[in-house]
């Protein structure tokens, strides 16, 4: 009998594409400036954290047209957002001010909130629908990973699915940051580079399935700084600065006309532990999605 395939590397590869697609989607919806987008998302999550923790309350505002009033949002300080993202306070303060100028953020006693009206813009409504489609694709390709759910879907839960998606995105970002000891932007650059390096294996269960084993450096596809900047909608100079810093830390190295995450980094004990935690978080996320009715579509072609 052949040994069971350890699915953690495969799950990590599959979730990476979803993660980067969410970056692009949110960036279009919010601002096309990644730091502004991260600031927006972190404020929105802090404002709504009590809803995602309380299933009954969450379902009250789960539908597309059901957005909580401003009075039910919990304000958060800019300092708390800066600490969560690992980005300098002055940088986050500047981007929060930018959001206020664009009427996407509001100062209230106790901190800042993303007001109700921001979630009804045409760009946000389009993003909610696009997020649902991306999430369904992830569920189809990953096969669900969920305990079978027999209850019927609860109806329109598109807003709640977005909230869970934002939680998943920011939690994974924080996980990468803790694992590699980098800030949010460094974590995003690492995620983008590592995905392109092994993209050709992303949906192949037989390709380097064991956690301690990944492609050798010669089998990793280098990616240019320009391509990373374009993927993340980051200024080229900002991306170049982060890539240079990551190279100095030994997390990236030059290969051909681009950079790779070398195999020795992928094999670090803390990275292997991080992959295990990422898999657990992804499976929990998929299970929660299944409870909301986002389940594998019968007969869907998996990537």
């Amino acid at each position: 009998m052949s040994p069971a395939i350890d699915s953690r590397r495969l799950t990590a590869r599959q979730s990476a594409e979803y993660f980067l697609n969410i970056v692009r989607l949110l960036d279009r919806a919010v601002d096309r400036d990644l730091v502004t987008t991260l600031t927006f998302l972190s404020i929105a999550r802090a404002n709504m954290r009590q809803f995602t923790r309380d299933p009954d309350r969450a379902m009250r505002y789960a539908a597309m047209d059901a957005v909580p009033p401003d009075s039910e949002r919990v304000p958060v300080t800019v300092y708390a957002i800066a600490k969560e993202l690992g980005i300098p306070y002055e940088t986050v303060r500047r981007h929060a001010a930018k959001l206020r100028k664009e009427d996407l953020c509001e100062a209230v006693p106790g901190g800042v909130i993303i007001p109700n009206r921001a979630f009804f813009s045409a760009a946000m409504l389009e993003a909610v629908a696009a997020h649902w489609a991306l999430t369904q694709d992830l569920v189809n390709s990953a096969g669900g990973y969920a305990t079978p759910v027999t209850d019927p879907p609860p109806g329109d839960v598109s807003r709640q699915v977005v909230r869970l998606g934002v939680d998943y995105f920011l939690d994974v970002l924080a996980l990468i940051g803790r694992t590699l000891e980098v800030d949010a932007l460094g974590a995003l650059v690492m995620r983008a580079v590592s995905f392109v390096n092994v993209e050709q294996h992303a949906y192949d269960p037989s390709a380097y399935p064991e956690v301690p084993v990944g492609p050798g450096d010669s089998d990793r596809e280098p990616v240019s700084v320009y391509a990373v900047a374009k993927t993340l909608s980051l200024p080229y100079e900002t991306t170049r600065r982060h890539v240079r810093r990551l190279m100095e830390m030994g997390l990236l190295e030059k290969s051909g006309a681009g950079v790779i995450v070398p195999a020795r980094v992928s094999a670090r004990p803390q990275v292997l532990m991080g992959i295990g935690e990422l898999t657990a978080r992804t499976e929990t996320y998929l299970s929660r999605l299944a409870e909301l009715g986002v389940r594998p579509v019968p007969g869907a072609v998996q990537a």
Side-chain angles (χ1 to χ4, degrees):
M1 181 177 180
S2 60
I5 289 178
D6 189 324
S7 65
R8 283 174 286 178
R9 285 268 188 213
L10 180 63
T11 301
R13 293 195 295 261
Q14 291 174 336
S15 65
E17 183 172 25
Y18 174 72
F19 184 89
L20 294 172
N21 282 335
I22 294 298
V23 172
R24 299 183 187 103
L25 169 64
L26 294 171
D27 209 42
R28 289 195 305 271
V30 178
D31 187 77
R32 287 193 175 276
D33 180 304
L34 191 53
V35 180
T36 308
T37 299
L38 290 174
T39 301
F40 177 93
L41 292 180
S42 296
I43 295 171
R45 175 164 80 159
N47 294 164
M48 296 293 295
R49 189 168 274 127
Q50 76 275 23
F51 289 90
T52 52
R53 291 176 177 173
D54 181 345
D56 292 334
R57 213 171 171 194
M59 293 309 292
R60 193 189 320 156
Y61 296 109
M64 176 73 85
D65 60 355
V67 177
D70 293 352
S71 60
E72 293 194 35
R73 300 177 190 275
V74 176
V76 62
T77 65
V78 172
Y79 174 80
I81 297 303
K83 186 176 180 180
E84 179 179 29
L85 294 174
I87 294 175
Y89 170 80
E90 281 302 320
T91 300
V92 175
R93 185 188 64 79
R94 187 170 67 252
H95 286 272
K98 182 179 177 182
L99 287 168
R100 288 198 302 275
K101 184 177 180 180
E102 295 175 357
D103 204 29
L104 291 173
C105 179
E106 188 174 297
V108 298
V112 292
I113 63 170
I114 305 299
N116 178 295
R117 61 184 177 275
F119 296 99
F120 284 111
S121 69
M124 285 295 175
L125 294 174
E126 182 180 335
V128 172
H131 177 266
W132 183 282
L134 286 175
T135 303
Q136 183 67 69
D137 286 345
L138 171 70
V139 170
N140 290 342
S141 64
Y145 281 106
T147 301
V149 178
T150 57
D151 295 337
D156 180 5
V157 292
S158 49
R159 291 280 184 187
Q160 179 62 4
V161 168
V162 168
R163 291 181 200 121
L164 292 181
V166 170
D167 272 358
Y168 175 76
F169 174 83
L170 291 175
D171 285 347
V172 169
L173 194 61
L175 169 62
I176 297 170
R178 289 195 307 273
T179 300
L180 301 175
E181 299 182 345
V182 296
D183 65 13
L185 290 182
L188 282 166
V189 170
M190 288 294 293
R191 192 69 159 153
V193 172
S194 63
F195 178 71
V196 174
N197 290 167
V198 299
E199 185 175 6
Q200 66 269 36
H201 308 302
Y203 293 93
D204 182 358
S206 65
Y208 309 102
E210 299 85 1
V211 168
V213 180
D217 291 356
S218 62
D219 290 331
R220 296 178 184 238
E221 184 68 30
V223 57
S224 68
V225 174
Y226 174 79
V228 173
K230 187 174 181 180
T231 294
L232 297 176
S233 294
L234 275 174
Y236 174 81
E237 282 302 320
T238 300
T239 308
R240 188 177 66 83
R241 186 171 65 251
H242 279 277
V243 168
R244 185 172 64 243
R245 172 62 177 151
L246 293 167
M247 291 177 70
E248 291 170 354
M249 295 174 67
L251 295 172
L252 295 178
E253 68 179 37
K254 191 163 180 58
S255 176
V259 293
I260 62 170
V261 178
R264 57 179 169 73
V265 171
S266 300
R268 289 181 180 180
Q270 68 267 33
V271 173
L272 300 181
M273 289 178 61
I275 290 172
E277 185 176 343
L278 170 60
T279 299
R281 286 182 180 275
T282 302
E283 293 179 355
T284 297
Y285 177 47
L286 291 166
S287 295
R288 295 186 71 184
L289 289 171
E291 293 169 0
L292 291 175
V294 190
R295 306 165 191 170
V297 175
V301 177
Q302 297 182 5

